[in-house]
Short mmCIF file of all heavy atoms in Angstrom, two decimals:
data_model
loop_
_atom_site.label_atom_id
_atom_site.label_comp_id
_atom_site.label_asym_id
_atom_site.label_seq_id
_atom_site.Cartn_x
_atom_site.Cartn_y
_atom_site.Cartn_z
N MET A 1 -1.68 2.31 10.68
CA MET A 1 -0.79 2.88 9.68
C MET A 1 -1.32 2.58 8.29
O MET A 1 -2.14 1.68 8.11
CB MET A 1 0.65 2.37 9.87
CG MET A 1 0.90 0.95 9.36
SD MET A 1 2.59 0.37 9.70
CE MET A 1 3.54 1.36 8.53
N LYS A 2 -0.85 3.33 7.34
CA LYS A 2 -1.21 3.13 5.94
C LYS A 2 0.06 3.14 5.10
O LYS A 2 0.91 4.01 5.27
CB LYS A 2 -2.07 4.28 5.43
CG LYS A 2 -3.46 4.32 5.98
CD LYS A 2 -4.18 5.49 5.37
CE LYS A 2 -5.56 5.67 6.00
NZ LYS A 2 -6.18 6.92 5.53
N ILE A 3 0.19 2.16 4.22
CA ILE A 3 1.32 2.14 3.29
C ILE A 3 0.76 2.16 1.87
O ILE A 3 -0.05 1.29 1.52
CB ILE A 3 2.19 0.88 3.49
CG1 ILE A 3 2.69 0.80 4.94
CG2 ILE A 3 3.35 0.89 2.51
CD1 ILE A 3 3.45 -0.49 5.24
N PHE A 4 1.19 3.11 1.10
CA PHE A 4 0.83 3.13 -0.32
C PHE A 4 1.90 2.40 -1.09
O PHE A 4 3.09 2.53 -0.81
CB PHE A 4 0.71 4.58 -0.82
CG PHE A 4 -0.46 5.29 -0.24
CD1 PHE A 4 -0.31 6.14 0.84
CD2 PHE A 4 -1.72 5.07 -0.76
CE1 PHE A 4 -1.41 6.79 1.40
CE2 PHE A 4 -2.83 5.72 -0.21
CZ PHE A 4 -2.67 6.58 0.87
N SER A 5 1.48 1.63 -2.08
CA SER A 5 2.45 0.80 -2.81
C SER A 5 2.03 0.61 -4.25
O SER A 5 0.84 0.52 -4.57
CB SER A 5 2.54 -0.56 -2.13
OG SER A 5 3.34 -1.43 -2.89
N CYS A 6 3.03 0.50 -5.10
CA CYS A 6 2.78 0.12 -6.49
C CYS A 6 2.61 -1.40 -6.56
O CYS A 6 2.81 -2.12 -5.59
CB CYS A 6 3.93 0.58 -7.38
SG CYS A 6 5.46 -0.34 -7.11
N GLU A 7 2.26 -1.88 -7.73
CA GLU A 7 2.07 -3.32 -7.97
C GLU A 7 3.33 -4.12 -7.59
O GLU A 7 3.25 -5.17 -6.97
CB GLU A 7 1.78 -3.51 -9.47
CG GLU A 7 1.24 -4.85 -9.84
CD GLU A 7 -0.26 -4.79 -10.11
OE1 GLU A 7 -0.70 -3.80 -10.72
OE2 GLU A 7 -0.95 -5.72 -9.71
N GLU A 8 4.48 -3.60 -7.95
CA GLU A 8 5.74 -4.32 -7.76
C GLU A 8 6.11 -4.46 -6.29
O GLU A 8 6.70 -5.46 -5.89
CB GLU A 8 6.84 -3.56 -8.51
CG GLU A 8 8.16 -4.29 -8.54
CD GLU A 8 9.23 -3.48 -9.26
OE1 GLU A 8 8.88 -2.64 -10.11
OE2 GLU A 8 10.41 -3.70 -8.95
N HIS A 9 5.79 -3.47 -5.48
CA HIS A 9 6.26 -3.44 -4.10
C HIS A 9 5.19 -3.83 -3.08
O HIS A 9 5.42 -3.72 -1.88
CB HIS A 9 6.81 -2.05 -3.77
CG HIS A 9 8.09 -1.76 -4.47
ND1 HIS A 9 8.21 -0.80 -5.44
CD2 HIS A 9 9.31 -2.35 -4.35
CE1 HIS A 9 9.46 -0.81 -5.90
NE2 HIS A 9 10.14 -1.72 -5.25
N VAL A 10 4.04 -4.30 -3.55
CA VAL A 10 2.97 -4.57 -2.59
C VAL A 10 3.33 -5.73 -1.66
O VAL A 10 2.98 -5.70 -0.48
CB VAL A 10 1.62 -4.79 -3.30
CG1 VAL A 10 1.59 -6.09 -4.08
CG2 VAL A 10 0.47 -4.69 -2.31
N GLY A 11 4.08 -6.70 -2.16
CA GLY A 11 4.53 -7.81 -1.31
C GLY A 11 5.41 -7.31 -0.18
O GLY A 11 5.27 -7.71 0.98
N HIS A 12 6.32 -6.42 -0.53
CA HIS A 12 7.20 -5.81 0.46
C HIS A 12 6.40 -4.96 1.46
O HIS A 12 6.67 -4.99 2.66
CB HIS A 12 8.25 -4.95 -0.25
CG HIS A 12 9.24 -4.33 0.68
ND1 HIS A 12 10.13 -5.08 1.42
CD2 HIS A 12 9.49 -3.04 1.00
CE1 HIS A 12 10.87 -4.27 2.16
NE2 HIS A 12 10.51 -3.02 1.93
N ALA A 13 5.43 -4.24 0.94
CA ALA A 13 4.60 -3.41 1.81
C ALA A 13 3.85 -4.28 2.83
O ALA A 13 3.76 -3.92 4.01
CB ALA A 13 3.60 -2.61 0.98
N LEU A 14 3.35 -5.43 2.40
CA LEU A 14 2.64 -6.35 3.31
C LEU A 14 3.59 -6.87 4.38
O LEU A 14 3.24 -6.93 5.56
CB LEU A 14 2.02 -7.50 2.52
CG LEU A 14 0.85 -7.11 1.61
CD1 LEU A 14 0.50 -8.27 0.68
CD2 LEU A 14 -0.37 -6.71 2.42
N ASP A 15 4.82 -7.25 3.97
CA ASP A 15 5.81 -7.73 4.93
C ASP A 15 6.14 -6.66 5.96
O ASP A 15 6.23 -6.93 7.16
CB ASP A 15 7.10 -8.12 4.21
CG ASP A 15 6.97 -9.43 3.45
OD1 ASP A 15 5.98 -10.15 3.67
OD2 ASP A 15 7.86 -9.73 2.64
N MET A 16 6.34 -5.44 5.49
CA MET A 16 6.69 -4.34 6.39
C MET A 16 5.54 -4.06 7.35
O MET A 16 5.76 -3.81 8.53
CB MET A 16 6.99 -3.06 5.58
CG MET A 16 8.26 -3.12 4.79
SD MET A 16 9.73 -3.36 5.82
CE MET A 16 9.78 -1.80 6.71
N PHE A 17 4.34 -4.11 6.83
CA PHE A 17 3.18 -3.85 7.67
C PHE A 17 3.11 -4.85 8.82
O PHE A 17 2.94 -4.48 9.98
CB PHE A 17 1.90 -3.92 6.84
CG PHE A 17 0.68 -3.56 7.65
CD1 PHE A 17 0.19 -2.28 7.62
CD2 PHE A 17 0.05 -4.50 8.44
CE1 PHE A 17 -0.92 -1.93 8.39
CE2 PHE A 17 -1.05 -4.18 9.21
CZ PHE A 17 -1.54 -2.88 9.18
N VAL A 18 3.25 -6.13 8.50
CA VAL A 18 3.17 -7.17 9.52
C VAL A 18 4.29 -7.02 10.54
O VAL A 18 4.09 -7.14 11.75
CB VAL A 18 3.20 -8.57 8.87
CG1 VAL A 18 3.31 -9.67 9.92
CG2 VAL A 18 1.94 -8.78 8.03
N ALA A 19 5.51 -6.70 10.06
CA ALA A 19 6.65 -6.52 10.95
C ALA A 19 6.43 -5.34 11.91
O ALA A 19 6.77 -5.42 13.09
CB ALA A 19 7.92 -6.31 10.13
N LEU A 20 5.87 -4.28 11.41
CA LEU A 20 5.72 -3.05 12.20
C LEU A 20 4.47 -3.08 13.08
O LEU A 20 4.50 -2.62 14.22
CB LEU A 20 5.66 -1.83 11.29
CG LEU A 20 6.96 -1.51 10.54
CD1 LEU A 20 6.69 -0.46 9.47
CD2 LEU A 20 8.03 -1.02 11.50
N GLU A 21 3.38 -3.62 12.55
CA GLU A 21 2.09 -3.51 13.25
C GLU A 21 1.72 -4.76 14.03
O GLU A 21 0.84 -4.72 14.87
CB GLU A 21 0.98 -3.23 12.23
CG GLU A 21 1.02 -1.86 11.62
CD GLU A 21 0.58 -0.78 12.60
OE1 GLU A 21 -0.55 -0.85 13.09
OE2 GLU A 21 1.38 0.12 12.88
N LYS A 22 2.39 -5.89 13.74
CA LYS A 22 2.03 -7.17 14.36
C LYS A 22 0.53 -7.43 14.21
O LYS A 22 -0.14 -7.85 15.15
CB LYS A 22 2.38 -7.19 15.86
CG LYS A 22 3.70 -6.57 16.21
CD LYS A 22 4.87 -7.52 15.95
CE LYS A 22 6.16 -6.96 16.53
NZ LYS A 22 7.26 -6.98 15.55
N ASP A 23 0.04 -7.17 13.04
CA ASP A 23 -1.39 -7.30 12.78
C ASP A 23 -1.58 -7.68 11.33
O ASP A 23 -0.69 -7.49 10.51
CB ASP A 23 -2.06 -5.95 13.07
CG ASP A 23 -3.57 -6.07 13.21
OD1 ASP A 23 -4.09 -7.21 13.24
OD2 ASP A 23 -4.22 -5.02 13.28
N PHE A 24 -2.76 -8.23 11.04
CA PHE A 24 -3.04 -8.60 9.66
C PHE A 24 -3.35 -7.36 8.84
O PHE A 24 -4.20 -6.56 9.23
CB PHE A 24 -4.22 -9.57 9.58
CG PHE A 24 -3.88 -10.94 10.05
CD1 PHE A 24 -4.37 -11.43 11.26
CD2 PHE A 24 -3.05 -11.76 9.29
CE1 PHE A 24 -4.04 -12.71 11.70
CE2 PHE A 24 -2.72 -13.04 9.72
CZ PHE A 24 -3.21 -13.51 10.93
N PRO A 25 -2.71 -7.22 7.72
CA PRO A 25 -2.99 -6.08 6.85
C PRO A 25 -4.22 -6.31 5.99
O PRO A 25 -4.56 -7.44 5.66
CB PRO A 25 -1.74 -5.99 5.97
CG PRO A 25 -1.21 -7.38 5.92
CD PRO A 25 -1.60 -8.05 7.21
N ILE A 26 -4.87 -5.23 5.66
CA ILE A 26 -5.94 -5.25 4.66
C ILE A 26 -5.41 -4.50 3.44
O ILE A 26 -4.94 -3.37 3.54
CB ILE A 26 -7.21 -4.56 5.19
CG1 ILE A 26 -7.75 -5.36 6.37
CG2 ILE A 26 -8.25 -4.46 4.07
CD1 ILE A 26 -8.83 -4.64 7.14
N MET A 27 -5.46 -5.20 2.31
CA MET A 27 -4.92 -4.62 1.09
C MET A 27 -6.07 -4.22 0.18
O MET A 27 -6.96 -5.03 -0.08
CB MET A 27 -4.07 -5.67 0.40
CG MET A 27 -3.30 -5.18 -0.78
SD MET A 27 -2.33 -6.52 -1.48
CE MET A 27 -3.43 -7.09 -2.74
N ASP A 28 -6.07 -2.99 -0.26
CA ASP A 28 -7.11 -2.51 -1.17
C ASP A 28 -6.48 -1.89 -2.40
O ASP A 28 -5.45 -1.24 -2.31
CB ASP A 28 -7.97 -1.44 -0.47
CG ASP A 28 -9.21 -2.03 0.14
OD1 ASP A 28 -9.75 -3.00 -0.45
OD2 ASP A 28 -9.64 -1.53 1.19
N ARG A 29 -7.15 -2.09 -3.50
CA ARG A 29 -6.73 -1.41 -4.72
C ARG A 29 -7.27 0.03 -4.66
O ARG A 29 -8.44 0.23 -4.32
CB ARG A 29 -7.30 -2.15 -5.94
CG ARG A 29 -6.81 -1.65 -7.26
CD ARG A 29 -7.31 -2.56 -8.37
NE ARG A 29 -6.36 -3.60 -8.69
CZ ARG A 29 -5.37 -3.43 -9.59
NH1 ARG A 29 -5.22 -2.29 -10.21
NH2 ARG A 29 -4.54 -4.41 -9.84
N LEU A 30 -6.42 0.98 -4.97
CA LEU A 30 -6.87 2.37 -4.95
C LEU A 30 -7.84 2.64 -6.09
O LEU A 30 -7.72 2.07 -7.16
CB LEU A 30 -5.67 3.31 -5.10
CG LEU A 30 -4.72 3.39 -3.91
CD1 LEU A 30 -3.53 4.27 -4.29
CD2 LEU A 30 -5.41 3.96 -2.69
N GLN A 31 -8.78 3.53 -5.83
CA GLN A 31 -9.65 4.04 -6.91
C GLN A 31 -8.79 4.85 -7.88
O GLN A 31 -7.78 5.42 -7.48
CB GLN A 31 -10.73 4.95 -6.33
CG GLN A 31 -11.60 4.29 -5.28
CD GLN A 31 -12.39 3.13 -5.82
OE1 GLN A 31 -12.96 3.23 -6.89
NE2 GLN A 31 -12.41 2.02 -5.09
N GLU A 32 -9.21 4.91 -9.12
CA GLU A 32 -8.39 5.62 -10.11
C GLU A 32 -8.16 7.08 -9.76
O GLU A 32 -7.09 7.62 -10.00
CB GLU A 32 -9.03 5.51 -11.49
CG GLU A 32 -8.65 4.20 -12.16
CD GLU A 32 -9.14 4.12 -13.59
OE1 GLU A 32 -9.15 5.17 -14.26
OE2 GLU A 32 -9.47 3.02 -14.01
N ASN A 33 -9.16 7.72 -9.17
CA ASN A 33 -8.97 9.14 -8.81
C ASN A 33 -8.02 9.31 -7.63
O ASN A 33 -7.44 10.37 -7.45
CB ASN A 33 -10.33 9.81 -8.53
CG ASN A 33 -11.05 9.18 -7.35
OD1 ASN A 33 -10.87 7.99 -7.08
ND2 ASN A 33 -11.84 9.96 -6.65
N GLU A 34 -7.82 8.25 -6.83
CA GLU A 34 -6.87 8.32 -5.71
C GLU A 34 -5.45 8.02 -6.17
O GLU A 34 -4.49 8.51 -5.58
CB GLU A 34 -7.25 7.29 -4.64
CG GLU A 34 -8.56 7.58 -3.94
CD GLU A 34 -8.96 6.46 -2.99
OE1 GLU A 34 -8.86 5.28 -3.36
OE2 GLU A 34 -9.36 6.78 -1.87
N GLN A 35 -5.32 7.20 -7.19
CA GLN A 35 -3.99 6.80 -7.66
C GLN A 35 -3.15 8.00 -8.05
O GLN A 35 -1.94 8.00 -7.91
CB GLN A 35 -4.10 5.87 -8.87
CG GLN A 35 -4.47 4.46 -8.51
CD GLN A 35 -4.53 3.56 -9.73
OE1 GLN A 35 -3.91 3.88 -10.74
NE2 GLN A 35 -5.27 2.49 -9.65
N ASN A 36 -3.80 9.03 -8.58
CA ASN A 36 -3.07 10.20 -9.05
C ASN A 36 -2.38 10.94 -7.92
O ASN A 36 -1.42 11.66 -8.15
CB ASN A 36 -4.02 11.16 -9.76
CG ASN A 36 -4.66 10.49 -10.95
OD1 ASN A 36 -4.03 9.67 -11.60
ND2 ASN A 36 -5.90 10.84 -11.22
N ASN A 37 -2.87 10.77 -6.70
CA ASN A 37 -2.38 11.58 -5.59
C ASN A 37 -1.30 10.91 -4.76
O ASN A 37 -0.65 11.56 -3.98
CB ASN A 37 -3.54 11.93 -4.65
CG ASN A 37 -4.65 12.64 -5.37
OD1 ASN A 37 -4.39 13.40 -6.30
ND2 ASN A 37 -5.87 12.40 -4.96
N GLU A 38 -1.16 9.61 -4.91
CA GLU A 38 -0.29 8.88 -3.99
C GLU A 38 0.85 8.18 -4.72
O GLU A 38 0.64 7.56 -5.75
CB GLU A 38 -1.10 7.82 -3.23
CG GLU A 38 -2.28 8.37 -2.47
CD GLU A 38 -1.88 9.31 -1.33
OE1 GLU A 38 -0.70 9.32 -0.95
OE2 GLU A 38 -2.76 10.03 -0.83
N LYS A 39 2.03 8.26 -4.12
CA LYS A 39 3.20 7.57 -4.65
C LYS A 39 3.52 6.35 -3.80
O LYS A 39 3.25 6.32 -2.60
CB LYS A 39 4.42 8.51 -4.62
CG LYS A 39 4.28 9.72 -5.53
CD LYS A 39 4.82 9.41 -6.90
CE LYS A 39 4.90 10.64 -7.78
NZ LYS A 39 3.66 10.79 -8.57
N CYS A 40 4.11 5.35 -4.46
CA CYS A 40 4.62 4.18 -3.75
C CYS A 40 5.64 4.61 -2.69
O CYS A 40 6.43 5.51 -2.93
CB CYS A 40 5.27 3.23 -4.75
SG CYS A 40 6.07 1.81 -3.99
N GLU A 41 5.61 3.93 -1.52
CA GLU A 41 6.56 4.24 -0.45
C GLU A 41 7.98 3.81 -0.80
O GLU A 41 8.93 4.27 -0.19
CB GLU A 41 6.16 3.47 0.83
CG GLU A 41 4.83 3.86 1.39
CD GLU A 41 4.94 4.83 2.56
OE1 GLU A 41 5.92 4.77 3.31
OE2 GLU A 41 4.03 5.66 2.68
N TYR A 42 8.12 2.91 -1.76
CA TYR A 42 9.42 2.27 -1.99
C TYR A 42 10.03 2.60 -3.34
O TYR A 42 11.11 2.14 -3.66
CB TYR A 42 9.27 0.75 -1.84
CG TYR A 42 8.61 0.39 -0.53
CD1 TYR A 42 7.31 -0.08 -0.50
CD2 TYR A 42 9.27 0.58 0.68
CE1 TYR A 42 6.68 -0.36 0.72
CE2 TYR A 42 8.66 0.31 1.88
CZ TYR A 42 7.36 -0.16 1.90
OH TYR A 42 6.74 -0.42 3.09
N CYS A 43 9.32 3.35 -4.15
CA CYS A 43 9.88 3.81 -5.42
C CYS A 43 9.09 5.05 -5.85
O CYS A 43 8.26 5.55 -5.10
CB CYS A 43 9.82 2.71 -6.49
SG CYS A 43 8.15 2.34 -7.08
N ALA A 44 9.31 5.52 -7.04
CA ALA A 44 8.69 6.78 -7.48
C ALA A 44 7.43 6.56 -8.31
O ALA A 44 6.85 7.49 -8.83
CB ALA A 44 9.71 7.58 -8.28
N GLU A 45 6.99 5.30 -8.40
CA GLU A 45 5.80 5.00 -9.18
C GLU A 45 4.53 5.47 -8.46
O GLU A 45 4.51 5.60 -7.24
CB GLU A 45 5.67 3.48 -9.39
CG GLU A 45 6.77 2.87 -10.22
CD GLU A 45 6.72 3.32 -11.66
OE1 GLU A 45 5.62 3.31 -12.25
OE2 GLU A 45 7.77 3.70 -12.19
N GLN A 46 3.48 5.65 -9.22
CA GLN A 46 2.18 5.90 -8.61
C GLN A 46 1.72 4.67 -7.85
O GLN A 46 1.92 3.54 -8.30
CB GLN A 46 1.14 6.20 -9.69
CG GLN A 46 1.12 7.66 -10.08
CD GLN A 46 0.00 7.96 -11.05
OE1 GLN A 46 -0.85 7.12 -11.30
NE2 GLN A 46 0.01 9.15 -11.59
N ALA A 47 1.12 4.89 -6.71
CA ALA A 47 0.62 3.78 -5.91
C ALA A 47 -0.60 3.14 -6.58
O ALA A 47 -1.44 3.83 -7.15
CB ALA A 47 0.26 4.27 -4.52
N THR A 48 -0.66 1.82 -6.48
CA THR A 48 -1.81 1.07 -6.97
C THR A 48 -2.61 0.50 -5.80
O THR A 48 -3.82 0.31 -5.90
CB THR A 48 -1.34 -0.11 -7.85
OG1 THR A 48 -0.45 0.40 -8.84
CG2 THR A 48 -2.51 -0.79 -8.54
N TYR A 49 -1.91 0.22 -4.69
CA TYR A 49 -2.55 -0.42 -3.54
C TYR A 49 -2.33 0.40 -2.27
O TYR A 49 -1.34 1.13 -2.16
CB TYR A 49 -1.94 -1.80 -3.30
CG TYR A 49 -2.21 -2.78 -4.39
CD1 TYR A 49 -1.26 -3.10 -5.34
CD2 TYR A 49 -3.46 -3.41 -4.48
CE1 TYR A 49 -1.52 -4.00 -6.35
CE2 TYR A 49 -3.72 -4.32 -5.48
CZ TYR A 49 -2.75 -4.61 -6.42
OH TYR A 49 -3.01 -5.49 -7.40
N ILE A 50 -3.24 0.23 -1.36
CA ILE A 50 -3.05 0.73 -0.01
C ILE A 50 -3.12 -0.46 0.94
O ILE A 50 -4.00 -1.32 0.80
CB ILE A 50 -4.06 1.83 0.37
CG1 ILE A 50 -3.80 2.31 1.78
CG2 ILE A 50 -5.51 1.36 0.18
CD1 ILE A 50 -4.59 3.55 2.15
N VAL A 51 -2.16 -0.53 1.83
CA VAL A 51 -2.11 -1.57 2.86
C VAL A 51 -2.37 -0.87 4.19
O VAL A 51 -1.65 0.06 4.55
CB VAL A 51 -0.73 -2.26 2.87
CG1 VAL A 51 -0.66 -3.31 3.97
CG2 VAL A 51 -0.46 -2.92 1.51
N ALA A 52 -3.39 -1.32 4.91
CA ALA A 52 -3.78 -0.61 6.13
C ALA A 52 -4.49 -1.57 7.08
O ALA A 52 -4.86 -2.68 6.71
CB ALA A 52 -4.71 0.55 5.79
N ASN A 53 -4.67 -1.13 8.32
CA ASN A 53 -5.55 -1.84 9.24
C ASN A 53 -6.77 -0.95 9.46
O ASN A 53 -6.63 0.22 9.74
CB ASN A 53 -4.85 -2.19 10.54
CG ASN A 53 -4.06 -1.03 11.11
OD1 ASN A 53 -4.00 0.05 10.54
ND2 ASN A 53 -3.43 -1.25 12.24
N LYS A 54 -7.93 -1.56 9.37
CA LYS A 54 -9.14 -0.74 9.44
C LYS A 54 -9.92 -1.05 10.71
O LYS A 54 -9.75 -2.11 11.26
CB LYS A 54 -10.02 -1.00 8.23
CG LYS A 54 -9.39 -0.40 6.99
CD LYS A 54 -10.30 -0.61 5.78
CE LYS A 54 -9.60 -0.11 4.53
NZ LYS A 54 -10.29 -0.54 3.32
ZN1 LIG B 101 7.06 0.73 -5.80
#
């Protein structure tokens, strides 16, 4: 799974990831050209981070 998150909600995104996936998340900062396309899952801000398992 992949969770997009803003700076404020990245902690929550990590918690949700672990709860849902039972796996260690990998957190990456989005490239600037990607930030424009993705919104935070938990608010209306642009996403800054992606939490995923690779
Ligand atoms: Zn947010």
Side-chain angles (χ1 to χ4, degrees):
M1 78 183 288
K2 289 181 185 172
I3 304 175
F4 291 99
S5 173
C6 70
E7 194 104 40
E8 187 181 335
H9 290 113
V10 70
H12 183 65
L14 291 169
D15 286 347
M16 290 299 293
F17 184 96
V18 172
L20 293 168
E21 289 287 301
K22 319 280 190 230
D23 196 8
F24 287 108
I26 296 168
M27 187 179 95
D28 265 327
R29 187 173 267 273
L30 290 175
Q31 303 297 316
E32 277 186 34
N33 62 331
E34 294 174 315
Q35 282 181 23
N36 300 326
N37 303 327
E38 303 295 345
K39 295 269 189 268
C40 175
E41 297 261 328
Y42 308 108
C43 71
E45 295 292 314
Q46 274 186 9
T48 308
Y49 293 102
I50 181 170
V51 178
N53 46 358
K54 288 183 185 168

